[in-house]
Amino acid sequence: MNPVRNLPKNNKKRSKRPKISNGVKILAIETSCDETAISILNVRHSVFNILSNVVSSQVKIHAKWGGIVPSLAKREHLKNLPLVLKKALKQAGFKSSNYLISNSPNIDLIAVVNGPGLEPALWTGINFAKELAKEWNKPLIAINHMEGHLFSVFLPKDREILNLKSQISKTQFPIIALLVSGGHTELVLVKDWLKYKILGQTRDDAAGEAFDKVAKMLGLGYPGGPAISQLASNYRGSTSIIFPRPMINTKDYDFSFSGLKTAVLYKTKELAKLTPKTKSALCAEFQQAVIDVLVSKTLRAAKEYKAKTIIMAGGVSANEELRKQFQEVANRCDRKHMLLFPEIKFTGDNAAMVALAAYFRRTNKKEFANIRTLKADGNLRIS
Ligand code: KG4
Ligand code: ZN
């Protein structure tokens, strides 16, 4: 992997090493939003091998509606889950495609995301996971989607192999994690492996949601993040357009992006005619406002909590300008932090991140889910 790194000088204070168990195969399922994803991971002698990572995106279907339609997401997950499973098993080298009848593959654990997200979508994954757990007689573990994003920074790039021991020994606590997705914006203090405290979150729209809504206003389609960042990067020169940086100076660690979105709306009305140049200027200034708030609040939290590591993950962390400026501002800080971003291919929703989180939970907490009582929780908090 190639996260941006600045190793802090003082590395005396290490966290307790999490336990590493050998010879575990985990099948993970992710259906919290508009991606149907299944991944199979093998951990042997502390080497983590992604045997398969299949993501079936519904973006084209939802794009017609300008955003995610929960009933369509549910329908598509139901249709895709058996196909994605078949593909994931095949990619991982399992012979039998007759998976639901009797042939239980050599899997030790089934992991599934139980929240946060769209409940109708979450339920499809949960019910599918329960069915597999029953058929195959395997234990089930429930994983928080945002915890999955947090672990995505440890997923490897090319060879699909990660040496957990070396990665773990490099990670220093406390960590400040900025989790920025389409549904959530959270600033989390990670005191040690699997120990979280939410310091702040959005009071209204999530950062990704603001990108999506502004893109819709400007007729740029769904999802909005990539389209806005593309137009913003085309913009050259200075602009008289200035948007607010909401809550940038408040003492708490909460966010609010709804007012910023409204400011863009008023500006588009005021400008009446939107030329390609003004559209680019609007995108550049909107993106800069989001970046300023995210970077400033994260680094303030890192300072207050004396963080040794900063993580940024989730769909919005794919934004190149955000990554670049995060790095630049972090470099100017007195305190040096290790900065971890996921590989671009793991910024969006995927099940490999869920499997890695599941591996840590299984080995260190042994919190298995009850197959009869496990439920979807659209507002599940990381804890
Ligand atoms: O984590 P994610 O894939 O799904 C959720 O859990 O919501 O995040 C999706 C969000 C969308 O709002 C999308 O517009 C945003 O991530 N996104 C971006 C970029 N790529 C995706 N936002 C800003 N810049 C990007 N390059
Ligand atoms: Zn996500």
Side-chain angles (χ1 to χ4, degrees), residues 265-277:
L265 178 68
Y266 286 152
K267 198 62 177 176
T268 56
K269 291 199 168 142
E270 192 187 305
L271 290 168
K273 191 164 175 281
L274 289 179
T275 63
K277 195 168 175 202

Side-chain angles (χ1 to χ4, degrees), residues 253-268:
Y253 291 111
D254 281 349
F255 302 93
S256 163
F257 293 107
S258 159
L260 174 59
K261 172 194 72 189
T262 311
V264 181
L265 178 68
Y266 286 152
K267 198 62 177 176
T268 56

Side-chain angles (χ1 to χ4, degrees), residues 76-332:
E76 290 303 303
H77 285 313
L78 287 173
K79 195 174 82 192
N80 292 337
L81 273 165
L83 306 173
V84 172
L85 175 64
K86 201 169 169 181
K87 205 166 162 189
L89 287 171
K90 195 170 168 205
Q91 257 183 28
F94 291 100
K95 296 258 159 39
S96 172
S97 58
N98 211 5
Y99 59 90
L100 273 181
I101 301 180
S102 58
N103 269 346
S104 156
N106 179 19
I107 297 275
D108 302 292
L109 174 69
I110 295 166
V112 65
V113 167
N114 66 327
L118 304 168
E119 288 199 1
L122 288 164
W123 270 116
T124 63
I126 292 175
N127 287 333
F128 194 74
K130 285 183 177 183
E131 210 179 321
L132 289 183
K134 269 193 260 166
E135 278 307 320
W136 295 347
N137 195 22
K138 303 292 179 195
L140 189 64
I141 196 163
I143 296 296
N144 182 304
H145 177 77
M146 302 313 281
E147 185 177 41
H149 275 305
L150 200 149
F151 273 94
S152 70
V153 301
F154 301 115
L155 291 170
K157 186 183 181 185
D158 295 324
R159 286 186 306 120
E160 309 291 309
I161 285 180
L162 160 76
N163 191 312
L164 271 180
K165 266 192 186 147
S166 73
Q167 190 57 55
I168 284 165
S169 58
K170 273 190 226 150
T171 306
Q172 294 181 50
F173 294 85
I175 298 173
I176 289 290
L178 172 67
L179 305 177
V180 266
S181 72
H184 296 84
T185 301
E186 288 174 355
L187 206 48
V188 181
L189 170 66
V190 189
K191 292 179 220 153
D192 205 335
W193 295 104
L194 308 174
K195 284 192 183 153
Y196 310 112
K197 183 181 175 206
I198 298 183
L199 300 178
Q201 58 197 325
T202 183
R203 294 188 181 175
D204 39 56
D205 292 350
E209 192 179 354
F211 269 94
D212 294 337
K213 288 178 174 169
V214 166
K216 197 172 176 180
M217 273 175 217
L218 300 176
L220 302 175
Y222 173 84
I228 289 189
S229 69
Q230 175 67 46
L231 275 193
S233 70
N234 292 343
Y235 188 70
R236 300 277 174 272
S238 60
T239 166
S240 56
I241 301 170
I242 294 178
F243 291 135
R245 270 63 176 158
M247 299 188 71
I248 197 165
N249 291 319
T250 57
K251 289 206 174 80
D252 53 42
Y253 291 111
D254 281 349
F255 302 93
S256 163
F257 293 107
S258 159
L260 174 59
K261 172 194 72 189
T262 311
V264 181
L265 178 68
Y266 286 152
K267 198 62 177 176
T268 56
K269 291 199 168 142
E270 192 187 305
L271 290 168
K273 191 164 175 281
L274 289 179
T275 63
K277 195 168 175 202
T278 46
K279 264 195 193 181
S280 288
L282 284 168
C283 288
E285 173 59 10
F286 162 76
Q287 179 177 274
Q288 192 55 52
V290 176
I291 293 175
D292 285 347
V293 176
L294 293 178
V295 173
S296 151
K297 289 209 133 166
T298 307
L299 288 172
R300 189 157 56 74
K303 190 171 176 195
E304 181 177 339
Y305 291 94
K306 301 186 174 40
K308 296 232 170 76
T309 305
I310 296 176
I311 282 176
M312 174 173 70
V316 180
S317 74
N319 189 289
E320 291 295 342
E321 196 56 33
L322 174 59
R323 288 176 173 231
K324 191 175 130 228
Q325 293 191 29
F326 223 122
Q327 174 69 74
E328 283 167 4
V329 181
N331 280 346
R332 291 200 297 269

Side-chain angles (χ1 to χ4, degrees), residues 29-38 55-59 61-62 68-85 117-126 128 349:
I29 303 172
E30 152 67 52
T31 61
S32 67
C33 197
D34 60 347
E35 325 280 355
T36 316
I38 297 186
V55 181
S56 168
S57 174
Q58 308 169 4
V59 157
I61 289 159
H62 298 287
I68 298 166
V69 184
S71 58
L72 286 184
K74 176 181 169 179
R75 187 192 75 187
E76 290 303 303
H77 285 313
L78 287 173
K79 195 174 82 192
N80 292 337
L81 273 165
L83 306 173
V84 172
L85 175 64
L118 304 168
E119 288 199 1
L122 288 164
W123 270 116
T124 63
I126 292 175
F128 194 74
D349 293 345

